[in-house]
Each structure stands twice: as structure tokens, then as C-alpha cells.
Amino acid sequence: MREKPILLGTGGCEMTETKVECNECHALVLPKIAAANGGLCAQCVKIPEKLRQERREYDKALSQGLLFVPSKNELESTQTPIERAQNNVSWELEPEFYKQQLSVMQVLKHAKSEALGHIFLISSLGSRLNVAFNGLYGVCEYQNEENGFFCYAYTADNLNSQVGDNAHLVQACPCCGVGMLWYPTRFHLPRSIAFEIVERVTGNDWPPYVKWLEYDDISYTEPGRG
Ligand SMILES: [Zn+2]
């Protein structure tokens, strides 16, 4: 007859206690922790309910594929860049980022030979055109702080299914080039189109196929997710 195994430490050993899922992030936690935190793990309990709710809504929208196309709000927010109606606008390099004496043309030409990078331009009317690119994709942003325009270029060719984490583009600070936030998938364009947009805009020939859509919070986007 086989002997019964001797169970050691079942009276309170945390290793053998069946863990339960945190109601929020589904991490496994000890029942007594969950009970003390209203069903949450030690991390989630520190996050205000409003932010946890935002995160839940983001995750839900992501799982339903809603984040891969512009929202109704974004589509209704189409902005006309103030430079568009003018034909004597000039675009210059962001002086904080470009320390060398280069022309916009030289920078664009160089960028097209690079595997990845950023382009930061300022118009004579004070708007910004920021471009991030890698081997596959580009993202074009148009910003006019005075008018509160923070837009991305949307075309029929923008990516509409999850960008892979190694091709995901980051929004960088125009002054120092340091990465800030991850661009949502729907901001990503084929690289060649991103370059075409920046070339045409700097030549005062705004491509009619681009919609400049205003975006708000993009801070939940993570590499390869969102
Ligand atoms: Zn949690």
C-alpha cells in the first residue's frame, strides 16, 4: 500500500495557497491580499478607479479592433492646415534638433537613405511637421499650437491592423529627438507615402488625399499593442 504523502506547511504556507486573480489585471494574488484590496492586487489598488476604467475601455476597444481605424470624433475633426491656403510659406529645419547648416532638401534626401529616423520642420507661420520613419512605415504629424491642432496624416493607405512591435514608430521630441509616446497603429503609413507627403507639403503642394485628423490621448499605446 502506498504511503500517504506527508504535506508540509499547509497551515498558512503561501506557496501552496491557491491564488486568485486580480479583478483588474488578472495577476495571481494571495486571497488575503485580494480580500484586503477589494479584489485587487497590490499594484492595481494604487491606481485610481478612473484610470483603471480608462484602461479597461482602452483594452476593450483594442480587442474589438476599434483602435485600428480613426474614431468618429477623429474623422469629424479634420483640420485644414493654415499653410494650405497660402502659396508663399517656407519650411525650415527645427533649429534645436539640426545643429548643422543643412537645407530641408538635403535632410529629406538623407532621410530617404536611412533605415529609420525623424524629420522635424517648422513653417514660417509657426506650425510643425514631424515625421517618424523606419524601413516599412512613416508617421506624419502636423501641429499648430496657437490653433490647438495636433493632427496625424490619414490616408486610404494607413495601416489598419496591428503594427508589429519591431516596426512600431515612436513620437519623438522635436528638440532633442528623444522618444516620448508610441504612435497608434492607425497613424502608420507606408514609408514612401510619408516621404511623399513631407516633400509635397514643403513644396506648398498639400496632397489632397491626406486628411489631417486631430487626436487626443495616445498614451496607452505600447509597442506592438494599440
Ligand atoms: Zn492587478
Side-chain angles (χ1 to χ4, degrees):
M1 205 174 88
R2 214 189 293 168
E3 278 181 49
K4 274 185 185 166
I6 301 163
L7 297 175
L8 291 173
T10 48
C13 171
E14 298 185 345
M15 299 301 287
T16 57
E17 204 169 345
T18 307
K19 291 184 173 178
V20 296
E21 277 191 14
C22 165
N23 286 344
E24 199 68 52
C25 72
H26 309 295
L28 291 175
V29 292
L30 293 167
K32 66 180 177 190
I33 304 249
N37 295 337
L40 300 174
C41 71
Q43 274 72 46
C44 288
V45 76
K46 292 180 200 155
I47 305 168
E49 163 59 20
K50 189 176 177 297
L51 292 183
R52 282 188 276 117
Q53 189 186 336
E54 271 181 28
R55 161 64 75 178
R56 279 198 297 274
E57 283 164 8
Y58 177 84
D59 287 344
K60 191 175 166 203
L62 182 64
S63 68
Q64 293 174 338
L66 300 176
L67 301 178
F68 301 134
V69 288
S71 67
K72 191 166 168 280
N73 276 353
E74 281 182 352
L75 286 171
E76 286 170 357
S77 76
T78 308
Q79 294 297 345
T80 304
I82 55 172
E83 286 77 6
R84 202 165 178 157
Q86 319 255 342
N87 52 18
N88 55 352
V89 174
S90 62
W91 288 86
E92 304 294 335
L93 301 172
E94 158 60 69
E96 294 288 319
F97 185 72
Y98 298 96
K99 302 291 186 196
Q100 296 143 293
Q101 292 293 321
L102 294 167
S103 68
V104 172
M105 291 286 277
Q106 283 173 310
V107 163
L108 291 186
K109 190 168 173 237
H110 178 69
K112 286 166 108 174
S113 72
E114 293 281 287
L116 76 171
H118 293 270
I119 302 168
F120 302 113
L121 306 176
I122 301 179
S123 85
S124 47
L125 300 180
S127 305
R128 287 183 180 279
L129 185 65
N130 298 337
V131 183
F133 62 89
N134 58 29
L136 291 174
Y137 305 114
V139 170
C140 297
E141 270 194 277
Y142 170 83
Q143 303 177 345
N144 183 289
E145 267 183 58
E146 212 174 306
N147 292 318
F149 294 170
F150 288 84
C151 306
Y152 69 97
Y154 183 71
T155 73
D157 293 305
N158 282 47
L159 202 56
N160 61 8
S161 61
Q162 182 62 60
V163 61
D165 59 354
N166 51 7
H168 209 139
L169 287 166
V170 74
Q171 183 186 52
C173 170
C175 302
C176 57
V178 169
M180 301 189 298
L181 295 171
W182 294 92
Y183 286 123
T185 291
R186 64 185 182 280
F187 288 27
H188 291 64
L189 287 156
R191 168 186 166 110
S192 60
I193 296 180
F195 282 133
E196 182 182 308
I197 292 170
V198 64
E199 277 175 334
R200 288 186 61 173
V201 166
T202 54
N204 290 310
D205 173 25
W206 290 75
Y209 59 80
V210 178
K211 279 193 175 117
W212 296 95
L213 305 184
E214 275 195 276
Y215 62 89
D216 43 41
D217 188 10
I218 60 170
S219 63
Y220 284 116
T221 313
E222 292 166 30
R225 192 174 188 277

